[in-house]
Amino acid sequence: MKIDFHTHVKFTKKIDFSLEYFLSMIKEARHEGLDAFTLTEHFNTDRFYEIYKTLDEQFQYESGYYDVDGFKVFPGMEINIQEGGHVLFTGDRHAVKELREQLEPYTTDTSFIPLEHLFQIGEPYDFMKIGAHPFREANPLFNLPEDLLKQFDAFDLNGKDLNMYGVKRMKEKVYDFAVRLGKSVVAGSDAHHPLQISCVYNKFKMDCNTVEELRQAVLSGSYKVRISDDLSLRVRAAKTAKNLLKENWQLRLASRVLS
């Protein structure tokens, strides 16, 4: 089973969720050989619940994932925390939606939730907890107290950061950090555009159908992290395409306002 642990299905927070765009992500993921990804859209994206409403209407939900014609989409979200970092929670669809409701007071940069409190309110739902891009300068996690860091199941070897800071350098930093804490490292593309998906991914020894099976496979080390040879090209191409899409969206928005 090949899975990407950090994906987005909107190229910017401000646009509406598009089923067509979502399916284009699935199509590209399949093309690149993936069997699954975790849907970690930003928790404070515009109309967050529209994403899961659409998926509930369009696809069968199995034991822990949406079945998109045989492709597995595990529910989750990316959460900003008060300390400045980002956290990836993956779990049952109802758990994701219920936690998101509790996070409503914490959706702006002046009100983000402290990590300790996030762990507390998330504990009853048994999420898989991944520390996103721990060494990204804009959103670091590495400098948080060790007792909090040890509550993560794994840390994110992030496709965007591998391109930004260099593959060798970032890989060494994330693995050294995780080993010191006794934690695993999982790969996440951080894709907002189909071109970037699976630029890094995880190759599991077995098929997984639930988040708990994913967690146990990660904790037991029953997988390998893979980094695409063309990672840099794909991340840069995705960034260019995303910027063009954003400019086109802004022009159309301005046109509607003027008319």
Side-chain angles (χ1 to χ4, degrees), residues 6-13 17 21 25 38-48 51-52 75-79 87-89 96 100 191-192:
H6 189 164
T7 62
H8 299 270
V9 291
K10 296 170 64 178
F11 68 85
T12 176
K13 292 181 182 180
F17 174 71
Y21 193 76
M25 297 288 283
T38 60
L39 197 172
T40 51
E41 191 54 69
H42 295 286
F43 83 113
N44 56 351
T45 195
D46 283 0
R47 302 182 69 179
F48 175 89
I51 298 171
Y52 285 100
M77 58 184 165
E78 181 171 7
I79 306 164
V87 177
L88 307 176
F89 272 19
V96 170
R100 175 59 184 82
H192 290 75

PDB file of all heavy atoms in Angstrom, residues 6-13 17 21 25 38-48 51-52 75-79 87-89 96 100 191-192:
ATOM      1  N   HIS A   6       0.056  13.783   3.843  1.00  0.00           N
ATOM      2  CA  HIS A   6      -0.190  15.222   3.990  1.00  0.00           C
ATOM      3  C   HIS A   6      -0.644  15.773   2.644  1.00  0.00           C
ATOM      4  O   HIS A   6       0.171  16.118   1.784  1.00  0.00           O
ATOM      5  CB  HIS A   6       1.082  15.926   4.462  1.00  0.00           C
ATOM      6  CG  HIS A   6       0.899  17.357   4.852  1.00  0.00           C
ATOM      7  ND1 HIS A   6       1.845  18.050   5.597  1.00  0.00           N
ATOM      8  CD2 HIS A   6      -0.097  18.246   4.630  1.00  0.00           C
ATOM      9  CE1 HIS A   6       1.434  19.289   5.791  1.00  0.00           C
ATOM     10  NE2 HIS A   6       0.246  19.431   5.196  1.00  0.00           N
ATOM     11  N   THR A   7      -1.956  15.863   2.453  1.00  0.00           N
ATOM     12  CA  THR A   7      -2.489  16.377   1.194  1.00  0.00           C
ATOM     13  C   THR A   7      -3.627  17.360   1.438  1.00  0.00           C
ATOM     14  O   THR A   7      -4.355  17.264   2.428  1.00  0.00           O
ATOM     15  CB  THR A   7      -3.030  15.235   0.303  1.00  0.00           C
ATOM     16  OG1 THR A   7      -4.105  14.580   0.968  1.00  0.00           O
ATOM     17  CG2 THR A   7      -1.945  14.235  -0.013  1.00  0.00           C
ATOM     18  N   HIS A   8      -3.768  18.289   0.510  1.00  0.00           N
ATOM     19  CA  HIS A   8      -4.844  19.274   0.524  1.00  0.00           C
ATOM     20  C   HIS A   8      -5.667  19.102  -0.747  1.00  0.00           C
ATOM     21  O   HIS A   8      -5.150  18.677  -1.780  1.00  0.00           O
ATOM     22  CB  HIS A   8      -4.275  20.695   0.604  1.00  0.00           C
ATOM     23  CG  HIS A   8      -3.467  20.928   1.834  1.00  0.00           C
ATOM     24  ND1 HIS A   8      -4.007  21.399   3.009  1.00  0.00           N
ATOM     25  CD2 HIS A   8      -2.147  20.728   2.085  1.00  0.00           C
ATOM     26  CE1 HIS A   8      -3.069  21.497   3.929  1.00  0.00           C
ATOM     27  NE2 HIS A   8      -1.922  21.090   3.396  1.00  0.00           N
ATOM     28  N   VAL A   9      -6.937  19.453  -0.673  1.00  0.00           N
ATOM     29  CA  VAL A   9      -7.815  19.283  -1.840  1.00  0.00           C
ATOM     30  C   VAL A   9      -8.384  20.617  -2.317  1.00  0.00           C
ATOM     31  O   VAL A   9      -9.298  20.654  -3.132  1.00  0.00           O
ATOM     32  CB  VAL A   9      -8.948  18.285  -1.536  1.00  0.00           C
ATOM     33  CG1 VAL A   9      -8.377  16.885  -1.394  1.00  0.00           C
ATOM     34  CG2 VAL A   9      -9.728  18.677  -0.287  1.00  0.00           C
ATOM     35  N   LYS A  10      -7.834  21.724  -1.798  1.00  0.00           N
ATOM     36  CA  LYS A  10      -8.127  23.066  -2.279  1.00  0.00           C
ATOM     37  C   LYS A  10      -6.782  23.756  -2.487  1.00  0.00           C
ATOM     38  O   LYS A  10      -5.896  23.631  -1.646  1.00  0.00           O
ATOM     39  CB  LYS A  10      -8.965  23.845  -1.256  1.00  0.00           C
ATOM     40  CG  LYS A  10     -10.351  23.258  -1.006  1.00  0.00           C
ATOM     41  CD  LYS A  10     -11.018  23.927   0.185  1.00  0.00           C
ATOM     42  CE  LYS A  10     -11.274  25.402  -0.059  1.00  0.00           C
ATOM     43  NZ  LYS A  10     -11.970  26.044   1.083  1.00  0.00           N
ATOM     44  N   PHE A  11      -6.637  24.510  -3.581  1.00  0.00           N
ATOM     45  CA  PHE A  11      -5.328  25.134  -3.799  1.00  0.00           C
ATOM     46  C   PHE A  11      -5.159  26.408  -2.986  1.00  0.00           C
ATOM     47  O   PHE A  11      -4.055  26.924  -2.846  1.00  0.00           O
ATOM     48  CB  PHE A  11      -5.044  25.360  -5.288  1.00  0.00           C
ATOM     49  CG  PHE A  11      -5.897  26.391  -5.968  1.00  0.00           C
ATOM     50  CD1 PHE A  11      -5.561  27.738  -5.914  1.00  0.00           C
ATOM     51  CD2 PHE A  11      -7.012  26.016  -6.698  1.00  0.00           C
ATOM     52  CE1 PHE A  11      -6.338  28.686  -6.555  1.00  0.00           C
ATOM     53  CE2 PHE A  11      -7.788  26.961  -7.345  1.00  0.00           C
ATOM     54  CZ  PHE A  11      -7.462  28.302  -7.272  1.00  0.00           C
ATOM     55  N   THR A  12      -6.241  26.917  -2.412  1.00  0.00           N
ATOM     56  CA  THR A  12      -6.159  28.035  -1.488  1.00  0.00           C
ATOM     57  C   THR A  12      -7.341  27.968  -0.541  1.00  0.00           C
ATOM     58  O   THR A  12      -8.401  27.433  -0.890  1.00  0.00           O
ATOM     59  CB  THR A  12      -6.147  29.386  -2.230  1.00  0.00           C
ATOM     60  OG1 THR A  12      -6.160  30.457  -1.277  1.00  0.00           O
ATOM     61  CG2 THR A  12      -7.350  29.543  -3.134  1.00  0.00           C
ATOM     62  N   LYS A  13      -7.178  28.515   0.645  1.00  0.00           N
ATOM     63  CA  LYS A  13      -8.234  28.460   1.651  1.00  0.00           C
ATOM     64  C   LYS A  13      -9.486  29.225   1.234  1.00  0.00           C
ATOM     65  O   LYS A  13     -10.587  28.928   1.704  1.00  0.00           O
ATOM     66  CB  LYS A  13      -7.740  29.051   2.978  1.00  0.00           C
ATOM     67  CG  LYS A  13      -6.677  28.243   3.693  1.00  0.00           C
ATOM     68  CD  LYS A  13      -6.299  28.935   4.997  1.00  0.00           C
ATOM     69  CE  LYS A  13      -5.214  28.204   5.739  1.00  0.00           C
ATOM     70  NZ  LYS A  13      -4.860  28.883   7.017  1.00  0.00           N
ATOM     71  N   PHE A  17     -14.760  24.382  -2.081  1.00  0.00           N
ATOM     72  CA  PHE A  17     -14.359  23.022  -2.415  1.00  0.00           C
ATOM     73  C   PHE A  17     -14.965  22.622  -3.760  1.00  0.00           C
ATOM     74  O   PHE A  17     -16.136  22.891  -4.035  1.00  0.00           O
ATOM     75  CB  PHE A  17     -14.836  22.048  -1.329  1.00  0.00           C
ATOM     76  CG  PHE A  17     -14.587  20.611  -1.670  1.00  0.00           C
ATOM     77  CD1 PHE A  17     -13.305  20.094  -1.679  1.00  0.00           C
ATOM     78  CD2 PHE A  17     -15.643  19.767  -1.977  1.00  0.00           C
ATOM     79  CE1 PHE A  17     -13.066  18.754  -1.998  1.00  0.00           C
ATOM     80  CE2 PHE A  17     -15.425  18.429  -2.285  1.00  0.00           C
ATOM     81  CZ  PHE A  17     -14.140  17.926  -2.299  1.00  0.00           C
ATOM     82  N   TYR A  21     -11.958  19.274  -8.786  1.00  0.00           N
ATOM     83  CA  TYR A  21     -10.551  19.435  -8.401  1.00  0.00           C
ATOM     84  C   TYR A  21     -10.109  18.265  -7.522  1.00  0.00           C
ATOM     85  O   TYR A  21      -9.001  17.731  -7.671  1.00  0.00           O
ATOM     86  CB  TYR A  21     -10.370  20.767  -7.669  1.00  0.00           C
ATOM     87  CG  TYR A  21      -8.927  21.182  -7.495  1.00  0.00           C
ATOM     88  CD1 TYR A  21      -8.206  21.698  -8.557  1.00  0.00           C
ATOM     89  CD2 TYR A  21      -8.292  21.061  -6.257  1.00  0.00           C
ATOM     90  CE1 TYR A  21      -6.876  22.083  -8.407  1.00  0.00           C
ATOM     91  CE2 TYR A  21      -6.973  21.439  -6.094  1.00  0.00           C
ATOM     92  CZ  TYR A  21      -6.267  21.952  -7.175  1.00  0.00           C
ATOM     93  OH  TYR A  21      -4.959  22.327  -7.028  1.00  0.00           O
ATOM     94  N   MET A  25      -7.066  15.404  -8.129  1.00  0.00           N
ATOM     95  CA  MET A  25      -6.034  14.976  -7.185  1.00  0.00           C
ATOM     96  C   MET A  25      -5.980  13.450  -7.118  1.00  0.00           C
ATOM     97  O   MET A  25      -4.895  12.845  -7.107  1.00  0.00           O
ATOM     98  CB  MET A  25      -6.310  15.553  -5.801  1.00  0.00           C
ATOM     99  CG  MET A  25      -6.278  17.069  -5.707  1.00  0.00           C
ATOM    100  SD  MET A  25      -4.607  17.777  -5.844  1.00  0.00           S
ATOM    101  CE  MET A  25      -3.952  17.430  -4.214  1.00  0.00           C
ATOM    102  N   THR A  38      -4.140  10.714   3.113  1.00  0.00           N
ATOM    103  CA  THR A  38      -4.908  11.306   4.199  1.00  0.00           C
ATOM    104  C   THR A  38      -5.269  12.726   3.795  1.00  0.00           C
ATOM    105  O   THR A  38      -4.405  13.484   3.336  1.00  0.00           O
ATOM    106  CB  THR A  38      -4.130  11.310   5.529  1.00  0.00           C
ATOM    107  OG1 THR A  38      -2.920  12.058   5.382  1.00  0.00           O
ATOM    108  CG2 THR A  38      -3.795   9.891   5.959  1.00  0.00           C
ATOM    109  N   LEU A  39      -6.527  13.062   3.949  1.00  0.00           N
ATOM    110  CA  LEU A  39      -7.029  14.375   3.549  1.00  0.00           C
ATOM    111  C   LEU A  39      -6.831  15.327   4.727  1.00  0.00           C
ATOM    112  O   LEU A  39      -7.609  15.338   5.675  1.00  0.00           O
ATOM    113  CB  LEU A  39      -8.514  14.263   3.178  1.00  0.00           C
ATOM    114  CG  LEU A  39      -9.150  15.397   2.374  1.00  0.00           C
ATOM    115  CD1 LEU A  39     -10.556  14.994   1.949  1.00  0.00           C
ATOM    116  CD2 LEU A  39      -9.224  16.698   3.148  1.00  0.00           C
ATOM    117  N   THR A  40      -5.781  16.127   4.654  1.00  0.00           N
ATOM    118  CA  THR A  40      -5.427  17.015   5.761  1.00  0.00           C
ATOM    119  C   THR A  40      -5.607  18.475   5.362  1.00  0.00           C
ATOM    120  O   THR A  40      -4.680  19.284   5.455  1.00  0.00           O
ATOM    121  CB  THR A  40      -3.981  16.754   6.223  1.00  0.00           C
ATOM    122  OG1 THR A  40      -3.106  16.791   5.079  1.00  0.00           O
ATOM    123  CG2 THR A  40      -3.856  15.395   6.890  1.00  0.00           C
ATOM    124  N   GLU A  41      -6.831  18.808   4.922  1.00  0.00           N
ATOM    125  CA  GLU A  41      -7.118  20.195   4.567  1.00  0.00           C
ATOM    126  C   GLU A  41      -7.042  21.062   5.821  1.00  0.00           C
ATOM    127  O   GLU A  41      -7.295  20.607   6.939  1.00  0.00           O
ATOM    128  CB  GLU A  41      -8.500  20.300   3.915  1.00  0.00           C
ATOM    129  CG  GLU A  41      -8.778  21.653   3.287  1.00  0.00           C
ATOM    130  CD  GLU A  41      -7.694  22.070   2.304  1.00  0.00           C
ATOM    131  OE1 GLU A  41      -7.584  21.456   1.232  1.00  0.00           O
ATOM    132  OE2 GLU A  41      -6.936  23.008   2.647  1.00  0.00           O
ATOM    133  N   HIS A  42      -6.689  22.342   5.635  1.00  0.00           N
ATOM    134  CA  HIS A  42      -6.590  23.272   6.765  1.00  0.00           C
ATOM    135  C   HIS A  42      -7.920  23.376   7.504  1.00  0.00           C
ATOM    136  O   HIS A  42      -8.975  23.545   6.889  1.00  0.00           O
ATOM    137  CB  HIS A  42      -6.170  24.656   6.274  1.00  0.00           C
ATOM    138  CG  HIS A  42      -4.796  24.688   5.693  1.00  0.00           C
ATOM    139  ND1 HIS A  42      -3.669  24.615   6.470  1.00  0.00           N
ATOM    140  CD2 HIS A  42      -4.365  24.775   4.404  1.00  0.00           C
ATOM    141  CE1 HIS A  42      -2.596  24.665   5.704  1.00  0.00           C
ATOM    142  NE2 HIS A  42      -2.990  24.748   4.443  1.00  0.00           N
ATOM    143  N   PHE A  43      -7.864  23.288   8.817  1.00  0.00           N
ATOM    144  CA  PHE A  43      -9.085  23.308   9.627  1.00  0.00           C
ATOM    145  C   PHE A  43      -9.829  24.638   9.512  1.00  0.00           C
ATOM    146  O   PHE A  43     -11.037  24.697   9.717  1.00  0.00           O
ATOM    147  CB  PHE A  43      -8.752  23.016  11.095  1.00  0.00           C
ATOM    148  CG  PHE A  43      -8.292  24.213  11.888  1.00  0.00           C
ATOM    149  CD1 PHE A  43      -9.058  24.716  12.919  1.00  0.00           C
ATOM    150  CD2 PHE A  43      -7.082  24.859  11.596  1.00  0.00           C
ATOM    151  CE1 PHE A  43      -8.649  25.819  13.661  1.00  0.00           C
ATOM    152  CE2 PHE A  43      -6.665  25.956  12.330  1.00  0.00           C
ATOM    153  CZ  PHE A  43      -7.450  26.439  13.367  1.00  0.00           C
ATOM    154  N   ASN A  44      -9.115  25.709   9.174  1.00  0.00           N
ATOM    155  CA  ASN A  44      -9.752  27.025   9.072  1.00  0.00           C
ATOM    156  C   ASN A  44      -9.904  27.478   7.616  1.00  0.00           C
ATOM    157  O   ASN A  44     -10.012  28.674   7.340  1.00  0.00           O
ATOM    158  CB  ASN A  44      -8.984  28.064   9.881  1.00  0.00           C
ATOM    159  CG  ASN A  44      -7.514  28.185   9.486  1.00  0.00           C
ATOM    160  OD1 ASN A  44      -7.009  27.389   8.710  1.00  0.00           O
ATOM    161  ND2 ASN A  44      -6.830  29.167  10.039  1.00  0.00           N
ATOM    162  N   THR A  45      -9.930  26.520   6.711  1.00  0.00           N
ATOM    163  CA  THR A  45     -10.241  26.847   5.324  1.00  0.00           C
ATOM    164  C   THR A  45     -11.694  27.292   5.223  1.00  0.00           C
ATOM    165  O   THR A  45     -12.536  26.892   6.039  1.00  0.00           O
ATOM    166  CB  THR A  45      -9.993  25.629   4.404  1.00  0.00           C
ATOM    167  OG1 THR A  45      -9.973  26.057   3.048  1.00  0.00           O
ATOM    168  CG2 THR A  45     -11.056  24.560   4.588  1.00  0.00           C
ATOM    169  N   ASP A  46     -12.021  28.112   4.252  1.00  0.00           N
ATOM    170  CA  ASP A  46     -13.400  28.547   4.062  1.00  0.00           C
ATOM    171  C   ASP A  46     -14.304  27.338   3.793  1.00  0.00           C
ATOM    172  O   ASP A  46     -13.959  26.458   2.998  1.00  0.00           O
ATOM    173  CB  ASP A  46     -13.504  29.523   2.888  1.00  0.00           C
ATOM    174  CG  ASP A  46     -13.012  30.916   3.242  1.00  0.00           C
ATOM    175  OD1 ASP A  46     -12.583  31.120   4.400  1.00  0.00           O
ATOM    176  OD2 ASP A  46     -13.059  31.800   2.371  1.00  0.00           O
ATOM    177  N   ARG A  47     -15.443  27.307   4.483  1.00  0.00           N
ATOM    178  CA  ARG A  47     -16.470  26.281   4.288  1.00  0.00           C
ATOM    179  C   ARG A  47     -15.893  24.874   4.444  1.00  0.00           C
ATOM    180  O   ARG A  47     -16.086  23.983   3.610  1.00  0.00           O
ATOM    181  CB  ARG A  47     -17.133  26.457   2.912  1.00  0.00           C
ATOM    182  CG  ARG A  47     -17.758  27.837   2.730  1.00  0.00           C
ATOM    183  CD  ARG A  47     -18.444  27.993   1.391  1.00  0.00           C
ATOM    184  NE  ARG A  47     -19.652  27.163   1.316  1.00  0.00           N
ATOM    185  CZ  ARG A  47     -20.452  27.128   0.252  1.00  0.00           C
ATOM    186  NH1 ARG A  47     -20.176  27.875  -0.809  1.00  0.00           N
ATOM    187  NH2 ARG A  47     -21.517  26.348   0.255  1.00  0.00           N
ATOM    188  N   PHE A  48     -15.211  24.679   5.551  1.00  0.00           N
ATOM    189  CA  PHE A  48     -14.573  23.389   5.842  1.00  0.00           C
ATOM    190  C   PHE A  48     -15.555  22.227   5.731  1.00  0.00           C
ATOM    191  O   PHE A  48     -15.261  21.193   5.137  1.00  0.00           O
ATOM    192  CB  PHE A  48     -13.958  23.420   7.248  1.00  0.00           C
ATOM    193  CG  PHE A  48     -13.378  22.111   7.697  1.00  0.00           C
ATOM    194  CD1 PHE A  48     -12.056  21.802   7.426  1.00  0.00           C
ATOM    195  CD2 PHE A  48     -14.150  21.180   8.398  1.00  0.00           C
ATOM    196  CE1 PHE A  48     -11.514  20.590   7.839  1.00  0.00           C
ATOM    197  CE2 PHE A  48     -13.617  19.960   8.806  1.00  0.00           C
ATOM    198  CZ  PHE A  48     -12.297  19.669   8.523  1.00  0.00           C
ATOM    199  N   ILE A  51     -16.533  20.200   2.464  1.00  0.00           N
ATOM    200  CA  ILE A  51     -15.690  19.110   1.959  1.00  0.00           C
ATOM    201  C   ILE A  51     -16.284  17.768   2.363  1.00  0.00           C
ATOM    202  O   ILE A  51     -16.537  16.896   1.523  1.00  0.00           O
ATOM    203  CB  ILE A  51     -14.249  19.238   2.502  1.00  0.00           C
ATOM    204  CG1 ILE A  51     -13.609  20.547   2.034  1.00  0.00           C
ATOM    205  CG2 ILE A  51     -13.410  18.030   2.074  1.00  0.00           C
ATOM    206  CD1 ILE A  51     -12.280  20.841   2.702  1.00  0.00           C
ATOM    207  N   TYR A  52     -16.531  17.599   3.658  1.00  0.00           N
ATOM    208  CA  TYR A  52     -17.009  16.309   4.143  1.00  0.00           C
ATOM    209  C   TYR A  52     -18.474  16.069   3.783  1.00  0.00           C
ATOM    210  O   TYR A  52     -18.877  14.919   3.586  1.00  0.00           O
ATOM    211  CB  TYR A  52     -16.748  16.178   5.641  1.00  0.00           C
ATOM    212  CG  TYR A  52     -15.280  15.917   5.895  1.00  0.00           C
ATOM    213  CD1 TYR A  52     -14.423  16.943   6.276  1.00  0.00           C
ATOM    214  CD2 TYR A  52     -14.752  14.657   5.674  1.00  0.00           C
ATOM    215  CE1 TYR A  52     -13.077  16.699   6.453  1.00  0.00           C
ATOM    216  CE2 TYR A  52     -13.407  14.410   5.847  1.00  0.00           C
ATOM    217  CZ  TYR A  52     -12.562  15.423   6.237  1.00  0.00           C
ATOM    218  OH  TYR A  52     -11.231  15.184   6.395  1.00  0.00           O
ATOM    219  N   PRO A  75      -9.946  10.472   6.429  1.00  0.00           N
ATOM    220  CA  PRO A  75     -10.297  11.824   6.878  1.00  0.00           C
ATOM    221  C   PRO A  75      -9.272  12.405   7.851  1.00  0.00           C
ATOM    222  O   PRO A  75      -8.649  11.683   8.636  1.00  0.00           O
ATOM    223  CB  PRO A  75     -11.641  11.614   7.595  1.00  0.00           C
ATOM    224  CG  PRO A  75     -12.156  10.303   7.103  1.00  0.00           C
ATOM    225  CD  PRO A  75     -10.944   9.474   6.840  1.00  0.00           C
ATOM    226  N   GLY A  76      -9.130  13.715   7.789  1.00  0.00           N
ATOM    227  CA  GLY A  76      -8.236  14.406   8.716  1.00  0.00           C
ATOM    228  C   GLY A  76      -8.280  15.903   8.504  1.00  0.00           C
ATOM    229  O   GLY A  76      -9.118  16.423   7.768  1.00  0.00           O
ATOM    230  N   MET A  77      -7.357  16.604   9.159  1.00  0.00           N
ATOM    231  CA  MET A  77      -7.227  18.054   8.981  1.00  0.00           C
ATOM    232  C   MET A  77      -5.889  18.520   9.529  1.00  0.00           C
ATOM    233  O   MET A  77      -5.264  17.853  10.356  1.00  0.00           O
ATOM    234  CB  MET A  77      -8.377  18.808   9.642  1.00  0.00           C
ATOM    235  CG  MET A  77      -8.552  18.576  11.116  1.00  0.00           C
ATOM    236  SD  MET A  77     -10.028  19.450  11.760  1.00  0.00           S
ATOM    237  CE  MET A  77     -10.223  18.637  13.350  1.00  0.00           C
ATOM    238  N   GLU A  78      -5.455  19.662   9.038  1.00  0.00           N
ATOM    239  CA  GLU A  78      -4.233  20.314   9.514  1.00  0.00           C
ATOM    240  C   GLU A  78      -4.639  21.475  10.408  1.00  0.00           C
ATOM    241  O   GLU A  78      -5.423  22.336  10.003  1.00  0.00           O
ATOM    242  CB  GLU A  78      -3.384  20.809   8.342  1.00  0.00           C
ATOM    243  CG  GLU A  78      -2.088  21.474   8.780  1.00  0.00           C
ATOM    244  CD  GLU A  78      -1.142  21.764   7.628  1.00  0.00           C
ATOM    245  OE1 GLU A  78      -1.540  21.570   6.453  1.00  0.00           O
ATOM    246  OE2 GLU A  78      -0.005  22.190   7.900  1.00  0.00           O
ATOM    247  N   ILE A  79      -4.071  21.500  11.627  1.00  0.00           N
ATOM    248  CA  ILE A  79      -4.502  22.446  12.652  1.00  0.00           C
ATOM    249  C   ILE A  79      -3.343  23.353  13.056  1.00  0.00           C
ATOM    250  O   ILE A  79      -2.258  22.871  13.402  1.00  0.00           O
ATOM    251  CB  ILE A  79      -5.024  21.701  13.900  1.00  0.00           C
ATOM    252  CG1 ILE A  79      -6.129  20.706  13.509  1.00  0.00           C
ATOM    253  CG2 ILE A  79      -5.524  22.682  14.956  1.00  0.00           C
ATOM    254  CD1 ILE A  79      -6.428  19.673  14.578  1.00  0.00           C
ATOM    255  N   VAL A  87      -0.275  20.842  13.098  1.00  0.00           N
ATOM    256  CA  VAL A  87      -0.481  19.463  13.516  1.00  0.00           C
ATOM    257  C   VAL A  87      -1.423  18.776  12.534  1.00  0.00           C
ATOM    258  O   VAL A  87      -2.420  19.372  12.108  1.00  0.00           O
ATOM    259  CB  VAL A  87      -1.085  19.421  14.935  1.00  0.00           C
ATOM    260  CG1 VAL A  87      -1.383  17.994  15.364  1.00  0.00           C
ATOM    261  CG2 VAL A  87      -0.157  20.093  15.938  1.00  0.00           C
ATOM    262  N   LEU A  88      -1.123  17.527  12.174  1.00  0.00           N
ATOM    263  CA  LEU A  88      -1.983  16.729  11.300  1.00  0.00           C
ATOM    264  C   LEU A  88      -2.707  15.688  12.141  1.00  0.00           C
ATOM    265  O   LEU A  88      -2.070  14.833  12.768  1.00  0.00           O
ATOM    266  CB  LEU A  88      -1.161  16.027  10.219  1.00  0.00           C
ATOM    267  CG  LEU A  88      -0.226  16.903   9.379  1.00  0.00           C
ATOM    268  CD1 LEU A  88       0.598  16.031   8.425  1.00  0.00           C
ATOM    269  CD2 LEU A  88      -1.011  17.955   8.602  1.00  0.00           C
ATOM    270  N   PHE A  89      -4.030  15.768  12.185  1.00  0.00           N
ATOM    271  CA  PHE A  89      -4.852  14.780  12.877  1.00  0.00           C
ATOM    272  C   PHE A  89      -5.598  13.962  11.827  1.00  0.00           C
ATOM    273  O   PHE A  89      -6.248  14.521  10.938  1.00  0.00           O
ATOM    274  CB  PHE A  89      -5.870  15.461  13.786  1.00  0.00           C
ATOM    275  CG  PHE A  89      -5.375  15.754  15.176  1.00  0.00           C
ATOM    276  CD1 PHE A  89      -4.030  15.791  15.476  1.00  0.00           C
ATOM    277  CD2 PHE A  89      -6.278  16.006  16.201  1.00  0.00           C
ATOM    278  CE1 PHE A  89      -3.575  16.072  16.762  1.00  0.00           C
ATOM    279  CE2 PHE A  89      -5.847  16.280  17.485  1.00  0.00           C
ATOM    280  CZ  PHE A  89      -4.495  16.311  17.778  1.00  0.00           C
ATOM    281  N   VAL A  96     -13.417  13.807  13.169  1.00  0.00           N
ATOM    282  CA  VAL A  96     -12.838  14.997  12.532  1.00  0.00           C
ATOM    283  C   VAL A  96     -13.829  16.157  12.592  1.00  0.00           C
ATOM    284  O   VAL A  96     -13.472  17.284  12.967  1.00  0.00           O
ATOM    285  CB  VAL A  96     -12.439  14.693  11.071  1.00  0.00           C
ATOM    286  CG1 VAL A  96     -12.068  15.980  10.337  1.00  0.00           C
ATOM    287  CG2 VAL A  96     -11.268  13.714  11.039  1.00  0.00           C
ATOM    288  N   ARG A 100     -13.521  19.568  14.851  1.00  0.00           N
ATOM    289  CA  ARG A 100     -13.537  20.859  14.152  1.00  0.00           C
ATOM    290  C   ARG A 100     -14.543  21.815  14.789  1.00  0.00           C
ATOM    291  O   ARG A 100     -14.273  23.026  14.906  1.00  0.00           O
ATOM    292  CB  ARG A 100     -13.856  20.640  12.669  1.00  0.00           C
ATOM    293  CG  ARG A 100     -14.027  21.938  11.869  1.00  0.00           C
ATOM    294  CD  ARG A 100     -12.798  22.821  11.910  1.00  0.00           C
ATOM    295  NE  ARG A 100     -13.014  24.076  11.230  1.00  0.00           N
ATOM    296  CZ  ARG A 100     -13.608  25.147  11.749  1.00  0.00           C
ATOM    297  NH1 ARG A 100     -14.072  25.087  13.013  1.00  0.00           N
ATOM    298  NH2 ARG A 100     -13.753  26.253  11.061  1.00  0.00           N
ATOM    299  N   ALA A 191       0.817  18.557  -0.749  1.00  0.00           N
ATOM    300  CA  ALA A 191       0.321  18.986  -2.060  1.00  0.00           C
ATOM    301  C   ALA A 191      -0.957  19.797  -1.937  1.00  0.00           C
ATOM    302  O   ALA A 191      -1.880  19.414  -1.229  1.00  0.00           O
ATOM    303  CB  ALA A 191       0.069  17.771  -2.942  1.00  0.00           C
ATOM    304  N   HIS A 192      -0.996  20.933  -2.653  1.00  0.00           N
ATOM    305  CA  HIS A 192      -2.215  21.700  -2.886  1.00  0.00           C
ATOM    306  C   HIS A 192      -2.617  21.620  -4.357  1.00  0.00           C
ATOM    307  O   HIS A 192      -3.644  22.159  -4.749  1.00  0.00           O
ATOM    308  CB  HIS A 192      -2.016  23.172  -2.517  1.00  0.00           C
ATOM    309  CG  HIS A 192      -1.891  23.430  -1.050  1.00  0.00           C
ATOM    310  ND1 HIS A 192      -0.755  23.129  -0.337  1.00  0.00           N
ATOM    311  CD2 HIS A 192      -2.763  23.963  -0.165  1.00  0.00           C
ATOM    312  CE1 HIS A 192      -0.931  23.483   0.934  1.00  0.00           C
ATOM    313  NE2 HIS A 192      -2.140  23.985   1.053  1.00  0.00           N
TER     314      HIS A 192
END
